[in-house]
Amino acid sequence: MFIDTHCHLDDPKLCGRVDEVIENYISAGVGRVINIGCSAETSALVAKQAEMYESVFFAAGVHPSDCEKYCDEEEKAIFRLADKEKCVAIGEIGLDYYWKPFDKQKQSECFERQIYLASEKDLPVCVHVRDAMGDAISILKSMRSELKRGGVMHCYSGSRESAAILLDLGMYISFGGPLTFKNARNLPEVAEYVPLDRLLTETDSPYLAPEGKRGTVNEPANVVTVAEALAKIKKISVEELASAVIANAGRLFYKLK
Ligand code: NI
């Protein structure tokens, strides 16, 4: 069995045909998906989908690119969603200095407040970082004591050196479609470096479809392609890789059933 630890089934590209998307991943052997919120509004949507479908779990949080409007009201909404039975993490949260304009101060504040929230709710965090690894590592380091349940670096694209620091901080490292790209750069090398008991698989659907499907709408079923690539890198069978990832996901996202 496989798991997609990061997808967005509420996205307009997928939400109109969720039944079909779920049928596709179930027949591909994907037993569980974690549906990720990016704002109070989308977190409520992914929570609703999790209520409707047995194989769907969710994370609630405000994405750095959506944090301009972050306020007490929005935080309260995330806070309430975090109590739901199928909420397995706070996320996605983090820093993104790619999409301009951005407000570094506001992003850090939003990231930190949600780490406190995760700590209070005894949940792991799902971290998004783009072009901001140095600052993200500083925040995670300084808030280490709040990261009681750890977290995952979603769709990891950083260096081996950064991965070493993050692993030391107790973080899991998740790989998605970019690992399979022809121009995957250092990613296979980083994946080889990450211990098998700290690896996760994801798709970030509907974005980042793997090699061979690039440019198409990504779906959780494609997480199998990511798992196959990781198995090859780790020189183990896909079954072995998949069962290690399932065990890792169960440990980190302890509310998963
Ligand atoms: Ni995402």
Side-chain angles (χ1 to χ4, degrees):
M1 191 175 91
F2 300 93
I3 181 165
D4 181 358
T5 62
H6 191 116
C7 64
H8 303 277
L9 299 180
D10 63 305
D11 188 280
K13 290 195 182 80
L14 295 173
C15 71
R17 50 181 196 93
V18 172
D19 287 309
E20 183 194 336
V21 169
I22 292 178
E23 248 170 66
N24 290 346
Y25 72 65
I26 297 280
S27 37
V30 180
R32 293 282 177 271
V33 306
I34 303 179
N35 205 10
I36 311 280
C38 291
S39 62
E41 193 188 343
T42 57
S43 294
L45 287 175
V46 296
K48 197 160 193 190
Q49 289 175 320
E51 266 167 32
M52 289 171 67
Y53 303 97
E54 197 192 344
S55 59
V56 180
F57 289 75
F58 78 99
V62 180
H63 188 285
S65 299
D66 279 285
C67 76
E68 300 295 304
K69 51 178 195 281
Y70 194 79
C71 58
D72 292 345
E73 211 46 53
E74 195 161 42
E75 189 166 85
K76 269 183 215 144
I78 301 291
F79 202 82
R80 280 191 298 270
L81 287 169
D83 287 330
K84 288 192 179 280
E85 199 186 331
K86 293 181 95 178
C87 182
V88 298
I90 295 298
E92 59 190 294
I93 62 175
L95 301 176
D96 192 318
Y97 299 167
Y98 178 81
W99 296 106
K100 296 177 179 67
F102 56 84
D103 181 340
K104 282 191 182 183
Q105 191 54 43
K106 184 82 186 168
Q107 284 197 13
S108 307
E109 189 196 316
C110 183
F111 187 20
E112 289 169 4
R113 279 175 63 167
Q114 292 182 97
I115 293 174
Y116 281 119
L117 201 156
S119 170
E120 199 163 329
K121 293 291 179 185
D122 200 29
L123 286 172
V125 289
C126 168
V127 181
H128 166 107
V129 178
R130 195 163 182 194
D131 293 348
M133 193 57 84
D135 287 355
I137 285 176
S138 305
I139 291 177
L140 291 169
K141 262 188 178 166
S142 70
M143 299 193 70
R144 189 174 189 168
S145 60
E146 303 299 328
L147 293 164
K148 287 175 295 200
R149 286 287 180 179
V152 55
M153 303 303 291
H154 120 77
C155 208
Y156 188 73
S157 62
S159 66
R160 204 176 106 151
E161 292 69 27
S162 298
I165 299 169
L166 293 159
L167 288 165
D168 266 351
L169 287 168
M171 301 295 286
Y172 285 68
I173 308 284
S174 178
F175 291 94
L179 178 73
T180 68
F181 291 176
K182 287 211 176 74
N183 57 344
R185 301 175 295 112
N186 64 329
L187 285 185
E189 186 210 318
V190 178
E192 194 180 359
Y193 170 74
V194 176
L196 184 60
D197 64 359
R198 302 290 279 282
L199 278 175
L200 290 171
T201 53
E202 66 169 273
T203 60
D204 205 12
S205 298
Y207 313 106
L208 300 171
E211 194 63 51
K213 291 184 175 160
R214 287 184 79 170
T216 67
V217 174
N218 201 8
E219 291 188 21
N222 292 330
V223 80
V224 178
T225 309
V226 176
E228 284 166 353
L230 272 176
K232 210 170 157 190
I233 290 166
K234 290 292 189 193
K235 301 186 181 72
I236 56 176
S237 69
V238 183
E239 292 74 22
E240 233 176 309
L241 186 281
S243 63
V245 168
I246 292 287
N248 297 345
R251 215 180 307 121
L252 178 66
F253 304 112
Y254 68 97
K255 283 168 77 181
L256 264 182
K257 280 190 198 100

